[in-house]
Amino acid sequence: MADFFPELLERFVDAAFLKDVCRKYHYGKEQEMELRAVAEEMLPLMLKEAFWESTESSLFCGGQKRTADAAYEDVIMSLGSSLDSLQERYHEKGQLSESYILEALARELLFISYGAYNCYVKEKKDWHVARYHFPGSEENFPLEMVPELLKGFQNQIICNSAFCIIPKKSVVFVAELTKNKQIQCESICEGCHNRHCPNRVERDIPGGNMLARVADMPLSYGYSRIFGKF
């Protein structure tokens, strides 16, 4: 188990990160101080509990086995259970604004952690990410595989009978790795600049953007985690 990406936590309360969250989640400049206050409550909790881990996939991933040019990793990322407790306290006190801010900050931190994982793979393993596979997103990656995925991580994250994982601010996925330089996945689609990627979920579609689209459609497990549907 590794500490959560320190370079991301180091800038969690920086003005630049908070301004990005304000812009992305439509908070006004007058709310920046409120975001900072919640972020400063969250940070010490995450410094103690947030972690991520990867291991060679225990599953056959749709019949695909490791080769010289392709491999699979099971990956978990979690911001820890104390954030769930903090959010519950906000609700109990009627601090709904703070609860929503916590959700936005946690969501954005997990969102950018995919790019940090990509960098780790490139720097440490001489591979790079070809694609993310989330349980429930494809026929070969059914939602029911979540308990099996979590077995390899010694109960650091658990799931209930509906396959919702706990702590809530957590994700689990299978990363498809490759050494083929022609195949590159920068990050989750919303933050990716590769407009020609065959795996891309388009942001701009007739009638609305990607966020509007996912609000009205059944989401895969991974995108449900990103957009806070569980």
Side-chain angles (χ1 to χ4, degrees), residues 48-68:
K48 290 181 181 179
E49 296 185 1
F51 70 93
W52 78 278
E53 187 174 352
S54 64
T55 182
E56 186 171 353
S57 184
S58 60
L59 306 177
F60 283 102
C61 300
Q64 301 296 318
K65 298 182 181 181
R66 182 180 181 131
T67 68

Side-chain angles (χ1 to χ4, degrees), residues 83-117:
L83 289 193
D84 293 346
S85 299
L86 176 59
Q87 193 168 36
E88 288 173 8
R89 291 198 297 273
Y90 284 153
H91 276 282
E92 290 169 359
K93 295 177 180 179
Q95 295 175 282
L96 298 185
S97 177
E98 287 84 351
S99 178
Y100 296 148
I101 287 172
L102 185 152
E103 189 71 33
L105 289 167
R107 192 182 308 175
E108 186 65 11
L109 183 58
L110 285 172
F111 187 87
I112 62 177
S113 69
Y114 292 94
Y117 168 72

Side-chain angles (χ1 to χ4, degrees), residues 169-207:
K169 308 300 185 284
S170 308
V171 292
V172 58
F173 58 91
V174 177
E176 180 181 343
L177 308 182
T178 183
K179 292 189 175 181
N180 185 342
K181 295 182 179 180
Q182 303 303 312
I183 303 174
Q184 298 273 349
C185 183
E186 292 182 30
S187 186
I188 296 299
C189 296
E190 190 188 352
C192 176
H193 301 291
N194 183 2
R195 301 292 173 180
H196 303 292
C197 174
N199 302 323
R200 186 172 183 81
V201 177
E202 290 296 338
R203 176 200 291 262
D204 296 316
I205 61 170

Side-chain angles (χ1 to χ4, degrees), residues 3-221:
D3 291 339
F4 200 78
F5 305 101
E7 68 278 12
L8 301 186
L9 292 179
E10 285 172 5
R11 60 188 181 94
F12 184 69
V13 295
D14 286 356
F17 175 77
L18 296 177
K19 285 182 179 179
D20 282 344
V21 174
C22 282
R23 174 187 51 79
K24 187 170 181 179
Y25 296 92
H26 307 292
Y27 285 103
K29 184 175 178 59
E30 68 279 3
Q31 294 171 289
E32 286 184 17
M33 292 302 296
E34 191 176 4
L35 264 75
R36 177 176 293 279
V38 174
E40 289 176 347
E41 283 199 83
M42 294 170 64
L43 183 57
L45 303 178
M46 294 189 295
L47 287 171
K48 290 181 181 179
E49 296 185 1
F51 70 93
W52 78 278
E53 187 174 352
S54 64
T55 182
E56 186 171 353
S57 184
S58 60
L59 306 177
F60 283 102
C61 300
Q64 301 296 318
K65 298 182 181 181
R66 182 180 181 131
T67 68
D69 296 317
Y72 292 84
E73 282 193 344
D74 299 338
V75 184
I76 57 172
M77 300 176 183
S78 177
L79 302 184
S81 60
S82 288
L83 289 193
D84 293 346
S85 299
L86 176 59
Q87 193 168 36
E88 288 173 8
R89 291 198 297 273
Y90 284 153
H91 276 282
E92 290 169 359
K93 295 177 180 179
Q95 295 175 282
L96 298 185
S97 177
E98 287 84 351
S99 178
Y100 296 148
I101 287 172
L102 185 152
E103 189 71 33
L105 289 167
R107 192 182 308 175
E108 186 65 11
L109 183 58
L110 285 172
F111 187 87
I112 62 177
S113 69
Y114 292 94
Y117 168 72
N118 282 15
C119 291
Y120 172 85
V121 170
K122 286 182 180 179
E123 292 174 3
K124 304 294 186 181
K125 300 197 173 188
D126 195 31
W127 293 79
H128 55 268
V129 177
R131 190 172 181 182
Y132 295 96
H133 298 278
F134 293 104
S137 63
E138 307 165 50
E139 182 179 356
N140 291 327
F141 296 85
L143 189 60
E144 290 77 11
M145 75 187 293
V146 172
E148 191 67 30
L149 277 176
L150 296 180
K151 281 183 181 179
F153 297 108
Q154 303 177 341
N155 294 325
Q156 295 144 316
I157 296 178
I158 61 173
C159 73
N160 60 23
S161 58
F163 307 112
C164 298
I165 58 178
I166 303 168
K168 295 178 181 178
K169 308 300 185 284
S170 308
V171 292
V172 58
F173 58 91
V174 177
E176 180 181 343
L177 308 182
T178 183
K179 292 189 175 181
N180 185 342
K181 295 182 179 180
Q182 303 303 312
I183 303 174
Q184 298 273 349
C185 183
E186 292 182 30
S187 186
I188 296 299
C189 296
E190 190 188 352
C192 176
H193 301 291
N194 183 2
R195 301 292 173 180
H196 303 292
C197 174
N199 302 323
R200 186 172 183 81
V201 177
E202 290 296 338
R203 176 200 291 262
D204 296 316
I205 61 170
N209 62 23
M210 180 180 173
L211 290 176
R213 177 187 176 192
V214 297
D216 297 322
M217 65 183 286
L219 296 180
S220 71
Y221 169 85

